[in-house]
């Protein structure tokens, strides 16, 4: 009888999964954008629209947290996941902006491989979040660490290529600077994806 009188909790898992679906989708759109850097307009517009949608979900979750008496997991875990996913989506948007407006004609191979690895990282976060919502053990520390190490290797390869290009007499200084800063932005994105993974995994270990 008492339980029926309690206020119903907000659909936090539903909202977090919606937010995570946007995260996965912008990762897919970024990879598509990098594959066709000569014409990135469509993917850029899609990512921008998705980022706006993600902002709305972030604010909705934050509002529900301030108003809800009941939450399916600890408030700090919901807050951490919500903030980490929002920041990662923002970084996807920032990176797509940089790639779109710097006038690249073709992607460098390490950057394209990084985009595909980042796609896989977002799918792992989704798998974990779905598991958390279903109250089953879904942590994937080993798999995520493997992908993170692959990203570190690809970043090192990409920077090394730029160094070699800089030694060539026909190397474009401006092109090197643009790609170097783009790799820096990709590195920041990867840091935020690691934060998403750690936020979800912490909640899984605590509540499952």
């Amino acid at each position: 009888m008492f339980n029926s009188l309690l206020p119903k909790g907000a659909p936090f898992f539903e909202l977090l999964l919606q937010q995570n679906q946007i995260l996965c989708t912008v990762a897919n759109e970024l990879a598509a954008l990098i594959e066709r850097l000569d014409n990135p307009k469509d993917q850029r517009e899609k990512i921008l629209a998705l980022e706006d949608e993600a902002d709305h979900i972030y604010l909705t979750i934050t509002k529900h947290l301030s108003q809800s008496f009941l939450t399916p997991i600890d408030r700090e875990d919901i807050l951490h996941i919500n903030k980490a996913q929002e920041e990662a989506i923002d970084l996807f948007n920032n990176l797509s902006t940089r790639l779109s407006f710097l006038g690249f004609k073709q992607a460098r191979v390490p950057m394209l491989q990084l985009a595909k690895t980042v796609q896989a990282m977002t799918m792992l976060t989704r798998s974990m979040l779905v598991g958390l919502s279903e109250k089953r053990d879904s942590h994937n520390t080993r798999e995520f660490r493997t992908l993170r190490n692959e990203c570190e290797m690809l970043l090192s390869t990409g920077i090394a290529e730029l160094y070699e290009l800089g030694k060539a007499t026909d190397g474009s200084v401006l092109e090197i600077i643009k790609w170097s800063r783009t790799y820096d932005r990709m590195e920041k994105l990867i840091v935020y994806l690691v934060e998403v993974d750690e936020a979800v995994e912490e909640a899984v270990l605590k509540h499952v």
Side-chain angles (χ1 to χ4, degrees):
M1 178 66 178
F2 176 72
N3 288 338
S4 66
L5 297 176
L6 289 174
K8 293 186 179 296
F12 287 109
F13 279 132
E14 180 181 338
L15 290 166
L16 289 173
L17 284 167
Q18 289 176 12
Q19 187 186 45
N20 185 268
Q21 182 58 60
I22 293 175
L23 180 66
C24 294
T25 303
V26 293
N28 296 339
E29 293 297 338
L30 179 71
L33 185 153
I34 293 173
E35 286 178 340
R36 48 180 302 179
L37 272 181
D38 59 326
N39 186 21
K41 181 180 178 181
D42 288 346
Q43 276 68 42
R44 170 67 194 129
E45 290 179 350
K46 289 178 183 177
I47 291 172
L48 186 60
L50 287 164
E51 199 266 344
D52 286 341
E53 184 180 347
D55 284 343
H56 176 71
I57 294 174
Y58 171 78
L59 293 173
T60 300
I61 294 172
T62 302
K63 180 179 179 181
H64 281 316
L65 271 177
S66 68
Q67 298 175 343
S68 296
F69 177 73
L70 299 175
T71 57
I73 58 177
D74 291 349
R75 291 174 180 274
E76 59 265 28
D77 293 319
I78 296 173
L79 180 63
H80 192 187
I81 296 169
N82 183 34
K83 184 177 180 181
Q85 291 193 141
E86 167 68 8
E87 290 175 340
I89 292 167
D90 284 345
L91 261 293
F92 272 110
N93 183 42
N94 291 341
L95 180 55
S96 71
T97 299
R98 181 174 292 270
L99 286 162
S100 297
F101 290 105
L102 286 181
F104 296 120
K105 298 301 181 183
Q106 185 176 1
R108 305 193 71 81
V109 172
M111 180 60 74
L112 182 56
Q113 292 176 329
L114 277 164
K116 294 182 181 299
T117 305
V118 161
Q119 279 182 290
M121 293 171 78
T122 62
M123 292 306 298
L124 279 181
T125 66
R126 181 159 192 82
S127 175
M128 274 202 307
L129 192 55
V130 169
L132 177 61
S133 70
E134 297 172 353
K135 300 294 184 182
R136 57 179 171 82
D137 188 1
S138 57
H139 75 278
N140 51 31
T141 305
R142 182 175 299 177
E143 295 91 337
F144 203 91
R145 184 182 295 124
T146 298
L147 292 174
R148 184 179 62 188
N149 291 341
E150 184 177 338
C151 285
E152 291 174 356
M153 180 192 69
L154 289 168
L155 284 167
S156 297
T157 301
I159 297 300
E161 280 188 357
L162 295 180
Y163 178 75
E164 292 300 319
L165 181 62
K167 293 195 297 184
T169 56
D170 59 345
S172 168
V173 174
L174 180 58
E175 191 77 1
I176 293 168
I177 292 173
K178 290 192 298 183
W179 274 113
S180 177
R181 291 180 177 176
T182 304
Y183 278 121
D184 285 344
R185 192 59 57 92
M186 174 62 85
E187 186 173 17
K188 290 179 181 178
L189 169 59
I190 292 165
V191 169
Y192 279 100
L193 288 178
V194 171
E195 182 70 18
V196 174
D197 173 77
E198 291 177 347
V200 179
E201 187 163 29
E202 181 180 346
V204 169
L205 294 174
K206 186 188 300 184
H207 297 285
V208 177

